[in-house]
Amino acid sequence: MRRARASTRREPTIALINVVFLMLVFFMVAGTLAQPLEQGMNLVRTVELEGRSPPDALVIRADGTLTYRGSEITSPAAYLPRREDTASPDVRLVPDRDLPARDLVRIARELRAAGAGRVMVVTERGLQ
């Protein structure tokens, strides 16, 4: 009788790669990706400050009226001739929180059609 050859079965390395990948994902999620604040450092509190729009921004109220530096604007296209600084200026919009999104999109499209470069929406950002 011949002795049966012991089969040399290799372990698949795919399982090892999967485990290492899952560990990598776990530590990326569980770990801190940003540097923490230094010990004893407190951020500035701006709760009591009065909010003001940037001086070159087009303000849109909740009812859809447009104002620029305190004066009312009749249409988004009428805002651009007041800006002579560049051929296709970047426009900053400061919308009211209660302004419907469809009105904001409509006004941004009208500004782009009138020759605005980029249309940027200025929002409030808070740290939690």
Side-chain angles (χ1 to χ4, degrees), residues 60-77:
I60 310 169
R61 295 190 183 123
D63 60 356
T65 57
L66 307 169
T67 59
Y68 176 68
R69 294 185 179 174
S71 60
E72 191 168 324
I73 306 291
T74 57
S75 70

Side-chain angles (χ1 to χ4, degrees), residues 47-116:
V47 176
E48 293 83 22
L49 292 178
E50 178 184 334
R52 292 192 181 149
S53 61
D56 63 340
L58 180 63
V59 178
I60 310 169
R61 295 190 183 123
D63 60 356
T65 57
L66 307 169
T67 59
Y68 176 68
R69 294 185 179 174
S71 60
E72 191 168 324
I73 306 291
T74 57
S75 70
Y79 167 72
L80 290 175
R82 296 172 181 242
R83 302 277 316 270
E84 293 94 17
D85 50 354
T86 58
S88 60
D90 293 342
V91 176
R92 295 178 196 267
L93 296 178
V94 181
D96 189 277
R97 182 180 306 220
D98 298 326
L99 179 73
R102 66 180 175 276
D103 292 343
L104 178 62
V105 171
R106 177 186 52 80
I107 291 170
R109 283 185 181 151
E110 289 179 21
L111 285 167
R112 292 286 293 169

